[in-house]
């Protein structure tokens, strides 16, 4: 495993790309409403990224055809934006990456559109809390699996399941760098976290069982049992004193 450590100057560059990603994500999240199509949301992201003289990290990555991943209800991640119309009661995961001056920022959030189902509300809040706990666990001296364990223990304590087939990742000059960051694991395993590491931590949590499959489009990941899923993601830097969330707007 080769985990790149970023210099102070590289971290500053990442702060810029990550803030941009967070700004784009916040603007798209604010635009989610009944009647909008996922394709329109993707177009908004493209325009905002272009305005910033930056590039969408996902577009063209392994031939991915859009700037964002937008995953609705039982879709977990990697939903391809298009003609789908957002409906009241939908739970919509939004994921965007921005490449600026050689560095990627990667973040995701899940928004509820007039959701009244208390189970779905609980799912989203649990996933948000799992990300916060994982970020707090990403301190120097901790081990990588402490981050993974934080996600799993919060999700499972609330009767939810983590997705095991997809993981978070290092991020920087490449969208995906070492190490992989699973959302489950025993604590105290894996590489030591050191100042200068930059991680995209991304809990994917299901209301039902953890199992997922990929649709025929080759991208869209859905729950096997058809129950809803939520996804949050921050790019985080491990620093001397703790971790810094880079993807804040
Ligand atoms: Co990511």
């Amino acid at each position: 495993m080769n985990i790149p450590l970023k210099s102070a100057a590289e971290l500053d560059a990442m702060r810029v790309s990550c803030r941009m990603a967070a700004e784009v994500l916040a603007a798209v999240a604010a635009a989610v409403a009944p009647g909008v199509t996922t394709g329109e949301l993707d177009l908004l992201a493209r325009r905002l990224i272009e305005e910033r003289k930056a590039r969408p990290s996902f577009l063209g990555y392994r031939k991915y055809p859009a700037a964002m991943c937008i995953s609705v209800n039982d879709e977990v991640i990697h939903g391809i934006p298009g003609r789908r119309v957002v409906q009241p009661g939908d739970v919509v995961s939004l994921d965007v990456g921005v490449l600026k001056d050689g560095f990627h920022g990667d973040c995701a959030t899940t928004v509820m559109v007039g959701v009244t189902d208390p189970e779905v509300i609980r799912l989203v809040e649990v996933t948000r809390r799992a990300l916060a706990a994982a970020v707090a666990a990403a301190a120097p001296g901790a081990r990588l699996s402490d981050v993974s364990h934080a996600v799993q223990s919060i999700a499972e304590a609330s009767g939810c399941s983590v997705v095991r087939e997809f993981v978070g990742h290092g991020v920087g000059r490449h969208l995906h760098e070492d190490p992989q960051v699973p959302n489950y694991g025993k604590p105290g395993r894996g590489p030591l976290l050191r100042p200068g590491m930059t991680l995209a931590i991304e809990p994917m949590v299901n209301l039902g069982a953890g199992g997922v499959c990929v649709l025929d489009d080759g991208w869209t990941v859905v729950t096997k049992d058809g129950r809803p899923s939520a996804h949050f993601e921050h790019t985080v830097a491990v620093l001397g004193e703790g971790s810094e969330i880079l993807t804040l707007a």
Side-chain angles (χ1 to χ4, degrees):
M1 200 163 14
N2 164 38
I3 305 178
L5 297 181
K6 278 73 176 183
S7 67
E10 289 173 322
L11 286 173
D12 275 338
M14 290 218 35
R15 287 186 179 97
V16 172
S17 61
C18 287
R19 185 180 317 119
M20 286 181 176
E23 287 168 356
V24 172
L25 187 67
V28 173
V32 176
V36 75
T37 68
T38 56
E40 287 164 345
L41 296 169
D42 184 64
L43 217 56
L44 171 61
R46 291 189 199 213
R47 204 176 71 232
L48 293 170
I49 293 167
E50 198 168 311
E51 267 175 21
R52 287 165 173 74
K53 308 260 179 275
R55 284 189 4 219
S57 303
F58 303 169
L59 184 63
Y61 181 89
R62 297 188 179 174
K63 303 203 175 135
Y64 187 74
M68 295 195 73
C69 302
I70 303 184
S71 311
V72 183
N73 297 337
D74 62 316
E75 297 173 352
V76 179
I77 50 167
H78 299 172
I80 302 174
R83 294 184 212 280
R84 182 170 187 154
V85 179
V86 173
Q87 311 285 345
D90 280 351
V91 55
V92 183
S93 147
L94 306 165
D95 190 351
V96 73
V98 169
L99 172 64
K100 175 73 176 179
D101 294 338
F103 288 89
H104 294 272
D106 188 6
C107 53
T109 191
T110 296
V111 298
M112 292 178 279
V113 184
V115 169
T116 53
D117 183 340
E119 287 264 89
V120 175
I121 296 170
R122 185 169 62 87
L123 166 73
V124 173
E125 291 319 315
V126 164
T127 312
R128 197 195 309 276
R129 222 161 17 90
L131 175 57
V135 168
R143 291 201 178 261
L144 184 64
S145 80
D146 295 332
V147 175
S148 308
H149 181 72
V151 173
Q152 182 182 17
S153 51
I154 287 189
E156 293 183 353
S158 302
C160 299
S161 316
V162 296
V163 173
R164 293 174 181 244
E165 290 87 343
F166 295 87
V167 295
H169 50 94
V171 55
R173 290 191 184 276
H174 304 280
L175 178 61
H176 294 149
E177 298 181 347
D178 282 340
Q180 294 195 352
V181 185
N183 289 308
Y184 67 96
K186 295 197 171 105
R189 309 277 175 95
L192 266 179
L193 300 186
R194 298 176 56 196
M197 289 181 180
T198 46
L199 304 174
I201 301 174
E202 44 182 322
M204 296 152 240
V205 178
N206 296 353
L207 207 39
V212 298
C213 47
V214 180
L215 297 186
D216 284 341
D217 64 16
W219 283 102
T220 312
V221 177
V222 299
T223 60
K224 276 191 181 153
D225 59 12
R227 299 197 70 199
S229 183
H231 177 214
F232 286 83
E233 177 177 23
H234 272 309
T235 298
V236 165
V238 180
L239 297 178
E241 318 74 42
S243 57
E244 176 182 334
I245 299 176
L246 302 181
T247 41
L248 291 177

